[in-house]
Amino acid sequence: AEGKYDFFAVYDWEALQVPTRQCYRGMDTHFIHVPATVSTCANISGYRNPSHYQSTGDTQKLVDAMVIRLLEYQTEARRQMRYKYRWVFKELYDRMQLLDKKDEDDRRMFSHLSRLYKTLARYTDVLPVVGYNSGRYDIPLVRRFLPLALKKFDSLPTFVIKKGGSYMSICTKRLQFLDLTNFLGAGT
């Protein structure tokens, strides 16, 4: 279909339960979840084989590896989506070039076309990254490390949507993390 975004990536974290004797909010904790592995995959040609990363004991390096791989997917998806919509980008650009910036009506039209151009660019440039139950498990598991990796390699989130303690969406300039369970019917 012409009007849909063609690509997405998926990810999944696995953790080990490590014994501990910590006290958290006045409660004794017997085990903590420590990120052990992360797997990613995408439906982009050349990236259809899954990537699997194991922890060496440094969770930040593991999160960094995931973000770097997701950004590799995003770069190729962006290239292909920009190519798919090249005619729209060209049409918008050409129309903006024909306008007289001294004319009030032309300035309004230029502003409108410019917003359309930026909206299309954002649409083609942001890769959906889907996890299953990731808003309740995967993101909270790595929430201490994810912002640093995103800031280092992409950008801090431009918006975050939370529902209770669950993350529904985290969007940066190049990635949008989504939890699939928010889009399924009850009981699935």
Side-chain angles (χ1 to χ4, degrees):
E2 187 63 31
K4 72 170 183 64
Y5 197 91
D6 297 335
F7 307 107
F8 64 91
V10 294
Y11 72 104
D12 187 44
W13 282 92
E14 300 301 333
L16 296 173
Q17 286 188 349
V18 177
T20 184
R21 293 203 179 269
Q22 295 177 350
C23 185
Y24 178 72
R25 294 186 179 175
M27 297 185 301
D28 290 334
T29 305
H30 299 284
F31 293 93
I32 57 171
H33 288 245
V34 177
T37 66
V38 63
S39 299
T40 66
C41 196
N43 69 337
I44 305 164
S45 58
Y47 294 94
R48 293 184 194 270
N49 292 326
S51 297
H52 184 75
Y53 303 95
Q54 291 181 321
S55 178
T56 59
D58 186 342
T59 302
Q60 187 63 59
K61 284 184 181 177
L62 192 58
V63 175
D64 289 354
M66 178 193 75
V67 169
I68 289 167
R69 186 62 172 167
L70 292 174
L71 290 172
E72 290 172 6
Y73 299 156
Q74 182 275 339
T75 300
E76 180 59 20
R78 176 190 186 274
R79 187 189 68 73
Q80 291 186 35
M81 289 300 291
R82 288 274 180 138
Y83 182 78
K84 176 180 178 178
Y85 290 106
R86 68 192 179 283
W87 64 274
V88 181
F89 281 109
K90 182 176 179 353
E91 182 70 25
L92 289 170
Y93 180 81
D94 290 347
R95 287 189 184 202
M96 286 189 289
Q97 297 307 307
L98 295 173
L99 297 172
D100 178 10
K101 293 182 179 84
K102 294 178 183 173
D103 180 68
E104 182 66 30
D105 289 337
D106 280 1
R107 278 201 311 269
R108 277 197 298 271
M109 180 55 74
F110 183 86
S111 176
H112 178 68
L113 292 173
S114 178
R115 277 195 307 274
L116 285 174
Y117 190 95
K118 288 175 186 172
T119 300
L120 180 61
R122 175 116 178 102
Y123 173 74
T124 59
D125 294 356
V126 177
L127 177 68
V129 180
V130 181
Y132 185 81
N133 200 31
S134 59
R136 287 193 200 107
Y137 184 74
D138 298 290
I139 297 294
L141 180 67
V142 296
R143 112 175 103 216
R144 292 187 343 212
F145 308 96
L146 188 58
L148 183 58
L150 292 172
K151 182 179 179 183
K152 189 184 330 181
F153 301 108
D154 182 9
S155 71
L156 286 174
T158 54
F159 72 86
V160 176
I161 301 173
K162 283 184 76 175
K163 181 168 67 173
S166 176
Y167 292 86
M168 294 178 70
S169 175
I170 298 174
C171 192
T172 68
K173 289 180 180 175
R174 297 171 59 192
L175 302 170
Q176 182 168 15
F177 292 88
L178 299 165
D179 183 348
L180 184 64
T181 57
N182 292 308
F183 304 97
L184 300 174
T188 40

